[in-house]
Amino acid sequence: MWDYTDKVMEHFRHPRNVGAIENADATGQVGSLVCGDALKLTLKINKETEVIEDAKFETFGCASAIASSSVLTEMIKGKTLSEAAKITNQDIADELGSLPAEKMHCSVMGMEALEAAIESYRQGGKPVVFEQESENIVCHCFNVSEEAIIKAIRTNHLTSVEDVTYFTKAGGACGRCKGEIQKILDKVNSCAVPQPADTEEKPFESLTIVEKIKRIEKVLEEDVRPQLNMDGGNVELIDVSGAVVKVRLLGMCSGCLAADATLKGFIEKTLKEKLDASISVERA
């Protein structure tokens, strides 16, 4: 029997927010019954604030899949879409007090369903199924692409074929792809596989909400916060809608007489220079 935490068992035995929201504003799906796990996440979202007011799930899977889905709905309710988009599979596992290594793919499934749901909202509410956009499928039993394996290795610092199987299920059936998985591991961990060349070339306006948040956070972390920290200030990303970026000034910056100048003259200017000239920064 798996060594589950008390919190995992609690969410498994008494899952929260089970079902589907009628007339949902967003629907994200991931997995399939053929592969053994499937998750459907529906959201009710405040159109004015983009705060997730309700979240429900329907899942087919093991105790870890049910617990991960249940705790995810609790984690995202009350958060804006931008805040929810920052949640990783490790955050889900940590919220449960940990998951057995063999069951980490369940937390990944939750993260992917959330990404699909956010994309669904941005597309007007039409259901979105999380798919691996790749012709290079490594594991045909579970339809896992090389890109998905590389992402899992890099994000979770995986070092063995067994680790990859735990996080992606690749290699967990017939095992014929394990040799290819090992080759990918060797290349990634020896830095032979570069980051996708077109990542930084995609126009800002064409990025998904998740990609925009990651790009903005990178600039804030590397170019903005260090300067603000020198004067006892800081900045927090609150929301992103199109090219409008909403932030909250913290510390000494929050009550500073030059707050507006900091907002427009520094933060907005930096984001325009680093990312896109159409970006506008507002106080949340």
Side-chain angles (χ1 to χ4, degrees), residues 121-228:
Y121 180 76
R122 297 305 182 195
Q123 294 181 10
K126 181 179 179 180
V128 170
V129 178
F130 185 93
E131 295 180 333
Q132 298 169 8
E133 299 178 359
S134 173
E135 296 180 358
N136 189 9
I137 299 298
V138 175
C139 177
H140 291 275
C141 295
F142 293 112
N143 194 41
V144 184
S145 69
E146 179 176 6
E147 287 82 359
I149 292 173
I150 291 173
K151 179 181 178 180
I153 293 170
R154 284 181 168 147
T155 302
N156 301 285
H157 311 293
L158 310 183
T159 59
S160 71
V161 173
E162 188 177 49
D163 289 341
V164 172
T165 301
Y166 293 160
F167 278 78
T168 68
K169 299 186 75 172
C174 72
R176 293 177 183 174
C177 60
K178 288 186 175 181
E180 186 62 28
I181 294 173
Q182 185 61 60
K183 291 179 181 178
I184 296 171
L185 272 164
D186 293 340
K187 287 190 291 184
V188 173
N189 290 330
S190 65
C191 300
V193 177
Q195 296 285 350
D198 64 342
T199 299
E200 296 298 328
E201 300 301 322
K202 290 174 64 176
F204 185 81
E205 62 182 13
S206 71
L207 298 177
T208 66
I209 182 64
V210 175
E211 291 172 327
K212 286 181 179 180
I213 289 171
K214 290 180 179 178
R215 197 78 67 82
I216 293 169
E217 274 291 355
K218 184 174 186 294
V219 174
L220 292 180
E221 187 64 28
E222 295 180 358
D223 301 287
V224 175
R225 290 193 180 102
Q227 296 299 317
L228 298 182

Side-chain angles (χ1 to χ4, degrees), residues 69-136:
S69 303
S70 174
V71 80
L72 173 63
T73 59
E74 289 198 324
M75 292 172 69
I76 62 178
K77 286 204 293 186
K79 284 184 167 59
T80 64
L81 291 179
S82 297
E83 292 169 338
K86 300 175 186 177
I87 295 174
T88 67
N89 68 283
Q90 191 60 57
D91 292 330
I92 297 171
D94 290 344
E95 189 70 19
L96 288 168
S98 79
L99 281 172
E102 297 87 345
K103 294 295 182 179
M104 282 301 293
H105 65 270
C106 295
S107 63
V108 174
M109 188 170 68
M111 178 184 69
E112 293 173 343
L114 177 57
E115 288 184 13
I118 293 174
E119 192 63 26
S120 166
Y121 180 76
R122 297 305 182 195
Q123 294 181 10
K126 181 179 179 180
V128 170
V129 178
F130 185 93
E131 295 180 333
Q132 298 169 8
E133 299 178 359
S134 173
E135 296 180 358
N136 189 9

